[in-house]
Amino acid sequence: MTALLSALVVVACVAEPPARVGGSGVALAGVAPTPPLGWNSWQPYGCGVTEAQVKAQADALVSTGLRDAGYRYVVVDDCWNASTRTKDGALQSDSTRFPDGMSSLGEYLHQRGLKFGLYVGASDKTCTQYQGQYPGATGSRGVEQRDAATLAWWGVDYIKADWCSSNGDHDDQVAAFTAWRDAVRATGRPMVLSINPNSGVSGMPPGQRFDWGGVATMTRITNDIAASFASVLGIADVVGLVTPRTRADAFNDPDMLVVGQGLSAAQARTQMSLWAMMAAPLMIGTDLTRLSDAGLGVVGNQAMLAIDQNSRVVSGAPVAGDPQVWSRAIGPKGLAVSMTNRTSRNATVTVSLASLGLSGDGVVGVDVWTSKRYQAHDGVLSVQVAAGDTALLEIV
């Protein structure tokens, strides 16, 4: 029989989303119609990041083919800046680690078909300054217009604004991040605005509690990811509660990809599968010059990326509340289904066709990782999945 796919294919238990902070529309329309893809400096380099390292990673994006696969943003995270501003109050880079300056770095990236991203502190300090790990207090609170103009002049295409303050007052956060949104708009330069309202704030992370889609292009939903399978699964569980927020130019940000940092090959496929099902931004957080061919194959898998970058920009969600199985609508009538074995032993993962909005034993799922085909029987789709692994199926 022919599969019968309903218009509403995602069956999930999710809470009603709150009103969007900043209004019902999107913050910066047309900047990121699909989730941004790229690389971030924090995990491999932290406060030791240098101009030479960033250039080496940019070159690796090109030479490995990841740029052509869609990974275009090169984001320099915290600690790129000097500990003080210039005499007239402008941001400036650390002259020892970035001797040619940020404008020159932007030119280097743009010449290679890449986009330039920089970190800023949304409160009075950057995160490492707030934590006492880096000197100074060069956050942008109150000078967002000035700093946005500086970044635009440097050719920045992506701004990561990190709260990092013990002050979790919602009105203060809204004022700060809205000021950044308005400052980006005022530059006239199309720049992604990625915010993290969670750093330093106790209790439920504000990124989870509130819908920031009217303020930012990307919003961190949880605190920082760790290079562990438990962290990957825990973040997926949180994002599963807020999936209705996703749309073009407004994405839930589940944090960086930790492929190549302690995950097994199976666990790496799981992170990529779940992030693709979320329609999440994909920011690689590892040294690309040391990433194995197998790891490069995981982050660069074209079929997986096609799901993440699908023009039907909606997030998938757990099916009937089951964290092992997610479904996501793709294309005019298509469907992707992820089936994750969250245990330490090989297992069979099953899902009923009815819960997917499908019927008929002619339903077939093709795994994007192995190209293996799985056919439904008796109204159920069953897949043998290795420990920690995920079968990411396109329903055909």
Side-chain angles (χ1 to χ4, degrees), residues 109-191:
L109 298 175
H110 293 153
Q111 288 169 358
R112 285 153 182 78
L114 299 167
K115 294 181 180 291
F116 184 21
L118 274 184
Y119 171 104
V120 296
S123 59
D124 62 329
K125 296 180 180 180
T126 72
C127 218
T128 54
Q129 289 171 342
Y130 167 73
Q131 294 167 348
Q133 300 171 359
Y134 194 76
T138 56
S140 297
R141 192 72 172 99
V143 290
E144 293 88 357
Q145 293 273 348
R146 173 69 180 272
D147 288 354
T150 298
L151 269 57
W153 181 61
W154 286 343
V156 167
D157 307 292
Y158 176 117
I159 297 171
K160 177 179 176 180
D162 197 358
W163 181 243
C164 254
S165 171
S166 59
N167 171 21
D169 183 81
H170 182 56
D171 290 342
D172 285 348
Q173 286 199 328
V174 171
F177 288 122
T178 300
W180 259 111
R181 178 200 63 190
D182 295 345
V184 170
R185 287 174 174 172
T187 68
R189 182 174 179 81
M191 292 187 278

Side-chain angles (χ1 to χ4, degrees), residues 196-343:
N196 181 359
N198 308 321
S199 301
V201 179
S202 60
M204 178 183 287
Q208 178 185 350
R209 185 178 177 189
F210 303 104
D211 183 349
W212 296 87
V215 173
T217 314
M218 297 165 46
T219 302
R220 278 281 301 280
I221 301 301
T222 67
N223 284 303
D224 293 355
I225 194 171
S228 73
F229 193 47
S231 182
V232 168
L233 296 180
I235 287 175
D237 289 344
V238 171
V239 176
L241 300 173
V242 295
T243 57
R245 300 178 187 178
T246 296
R247 67 181 72 174
D249 291 299
F251 304 98
N252 293 322
D253 178 12
D255 207 7
M256 288 172 273
L257 303 175
V258 290
V259 176
Q261 296 189 58
L263 298 185
S264 68
Q267 293 166 351
R269 286 189 291 271
T270 289
Q271 185 183 22
M272 299 306 301
S273 298
L274 292 174
W275 268 230
M277 293 297 288
M278 297 172 193
L282 304 180
M283 292 291 163
I284 300 170
T286 195
D287 181 352
L288 293 172
T289 66
R290 296 176 179 271
L291 188 59
S292 67
D293 288 344
L296 290 169
V298 170
V299 297
N301 181 280
Q302 292 184 357
M304 175 275 300
L305 290 173
I307 293 173
D308 180 77
Q309 295 291 298
N310 192 266
S311 59
R312 187 173 181 178
V313 185
V314 295
S315 175
V319 175
D322 182 358
Q324 294 185 108
V325 182
W326 282 53
S327 66
R328 176 186 171 184
I330 54 174
K333 297 182 179 180
L335 183 66
V337 178
S338 65
M339 306 178 76
T340 300
N341 179 359
R342 298 163 70 105
T343 76

Side-chain angles (χ1 to χ4, degrees), residues 62-84:
V62 176
S63 64
T64 59
L66 289 177
R67 177 200 63 185
D68 293 340
Y71 291 91
R72 297 290 176 94
Y73 290 94
V74 176
V75 182
V76 186
D77 212 290
D78 201 355
C79 300
W80 63 267
N81 55 292
S83 59
T84 60

